[in-house]
Amino acid sequence: MAFQKPTGTQDLLPGVVEKWQYVEEKARDLCRRFNYREIRTPIFEQTSLFVRGVGETTDIVEKEMYTFDDKGNRSMTLRPEGTAGVVRAYVENKIYGEPDVSKLYYIGPMFRYERPQAGRQRQFHQFGVEAIGALDPAIDAEVIALGYQLCVELGLKDVKVEINSVGNSTSRADYRETLLGFLRPMKDSLCKDCQSRMERNPLRVLDCKVDQDKFVGAPSILDSLDEESLNHFAKLQAYLDDFGVDYAVNNRLVRGLDYYTLTAFELKAQGIGAIDTVGGGGRYNGLVGDIGGPDQPGIGFGIGLERIQLILEHQNIEVTTLAPLDVYFVALGEAADREVNRLLFKLRQSGLSGERDYLGRKMKAQMKSADRFKSRYTAILGDDELERGEIALKSMDTGEQQTVKLDDLVEAIREGK
């Protein structure tokens, strides 16, 4: 072929895309119940937004961003994650002026240049939520519970949450020195990325996928937490206990972004080998100020929709992929063919779904199409029936057939639902 999809991308074809719609509809309904409102931000932003917001020492900024100069010689980047853009929109549009906590969600594509593998693409999709404006650990618990509940309602097995506290600025500074004391003696044995990041951001070293076995005896950040951080973490766990969320404390969990403070968490489900993380997030109390807004705390998460689909498939969870049609029209004769067009449009205007043949096929072939579309009814119209102002309506489930007036067709289908 002359053209193929770019490496690390995929075509979501009919029959598959309906599985994605199913997950997205579940997410939207859950956000409605939790009172989160949708926000849609640009797919590309100024590169400096992500460098400043995500962090210079992250893999995302150092290795994975799709960055380009536009025609005005401005450096732009396809968004690698959702939070920075949402916070930028929150600041630019002065949403912080609203009296309540801003509870927002997004669904859309993200872009990272990395080696494609199962559950990891260069163009991938995330569902995420952000709650900006409250320090209360109750909002942390709510955000975590929303992500947990989505996994549960999708039917994922062995859903659990891992949580940690990465502390506030004071306790992080104390932990930094403690951690450096542990890391410096082994510096020469660590990978180049770890050696580079050790002095700039030693917490990033703990997130390394290459040297994990060397960090077994690393000091726990929980031992460096001050009273404020400890109280926040204790209350978070109490709220999660109240909700019945299945969680465990993982004191090595730091996540891959620099903006996290206090709460950090990951959502997990029974996956394929090491692929069990569905998504994750945390609190970012300094990010709004770093991007130029007022000092407002926030917390959020991102869930990978590719990961969700992979785990749904691996766990053999059935998802309805094709909604049945209400009626398939079969036209026999030129005059009947024109009337079927009118009836089909009227049916669609009324809110029902319908289809007809456009290939001039015989009645038997048209009935096979009705079966393929899983149509509830087949409406058969010939020129003789048209003269009488009637149409034959056949139930595809029972095989029963009735004759109804053309003007009563929509109501007859509605009554049969």
Side-chain angles (χ1 to χ4, degrees), residues 322-325 328 355 368-376:
L322 184 63
L325 284 176
Y328 188 95
E355 188 56 278
K368 287 183 178 179
S369 282
D371 280 333
R372 285 193 295 273
F373 286 117
K374 296 180 172 33
S375 184
R376 294 172 49 246

Side-chain angles (χ1 to χ4, degrees), residues 63-321:
K63 303 176 182 178
E64 299 171 358
M65 295 201 309
Y66 276 91
T67 298
F68 60 95
D69 289 338
D70 67 9
K71 292 186 177 181
N73 291 321
R74 294 170 290 248
S75 182
M76 297 290 174
T77 295
L78 300 180
R79 63 186 182 196
E81 57 92 48
T83 300
V86 171
V87 172
R88 191 269 313 148
Y90 172 84
V91 172
E92 182 176 352
N93 295 282
K94 296 182 174 59
I95 301 176
Y96 51 78
E98 297 179 358
D100 299 308
V101 175
S102 296
K103 296 167 64 174
L104 308 166
Y105 79 90
Y106 59 85
I107 299 176
M110 311 291 165
F111 305 85
R112 296 183 193 175
Y113 189 88
E114 51 189 346
R115 184 171 63 86
Q117 53 187 292
R120 191 182 296 274
Q121 300 288 328
R122 291 178 179 176
Q123 176 177 312
F124 60 101
H125 301 77
Q126 280 190 345
F127 158 64
V129 306
E130 312 292 349
I132 308 175
L135 280 167
D136 192 335
I139 197 72
D140 301 43
E142 177 183 282
V143 166
I144 293 171
L146 193 160
Y148 177 84
Q149 190 64 22
L150 175 63
C151 295
V152 169
E153 293 191 13
L154 288 172
L156 301 187
K157 299 168 187 170
D158 294 336
V159 180
K160 60 189 68 176
V161 181
E162 290 188 354
I163 63 172
N164 192 24
S165 176
V166 293
N168 55 22
S169 58
T170 301
S171 54
R172 282 165 72 98
D174 291 341
Y175 180 62
R176 184 182 189 278
E177 295 308 311
T178 303
L179 182 59
L180 280 172
F182 171 81
L183 293 174
R184 281 175 177 145
M186 65 176 73
K187 180 176 181 179
D188 292 341
S189 68
L190 300 179
C191 71
K192 290 183 179 179
D193 285 340
C194 287
Q195 293 180 27
S196 171
R197 293 170 181 169
M198 186 180 297
E199 299 298 334
R200 293 183 294 161
N201 192 344
L203 266 71
R204 293 263 37 80
V205 176
L206 294 181
D207 200 42
C208 176
K209 302 300 185 289
V210 177
D211 292 322
Q212 276 299 309
D213 59 320
K214 298 173 183 175
F215 307 142
V216 174
S220 169
I221 192 170
L222 298 180
D223 295 331
S224 295
L225 297 184
D226 60 10
E227 186 175 357
E228 175 192 28
S229 300
L230 284 171
N231 288 339
H232 187 278
F233 197 45
K235 289 179 180 178
L236 167 63
Q237 292 175 72
Y239 288 128
L240 292 178
D241 288 335
D242 291 343
F243 294 160
V245 170
D246 185 3
Y247 73 90
V249 175
N250 176 359
N251 62 21
R252 298 266 298 282
L253 177 63
V254 296
R255 298 288 298 156
L257 304 171
D258 280 356
Y259 49 59
Y260 288 128
T261 58
L262 297 175
T263 304
F265 65 94
E266 286 187 345
L267 297 156
K268 295 180 177 290
Q270 183 187 93
I272 304 171
I275 302 175
D276 62 354
T277 301
V278 177
R283 181 167 276 283
Y284 45 86
N285 289 351
L287 182 59
V288 176
D290 286 345
I291 288 178
D295 187 19
Q296 290 281 358
I299 183 169
F301 68 70
I303 286 179
L305 299 186
E306 280 82 1
R307 289 288 179 91
I308 290 281
Q309 294 297 333
L310 191 68
I311 294 174
L312 285 172
E313 181 179 357
H314 176 68
Q315 295 185 358
N316 297 314
I317 298 171
E318 291 294 328
V319 174
T320 301
T321 60

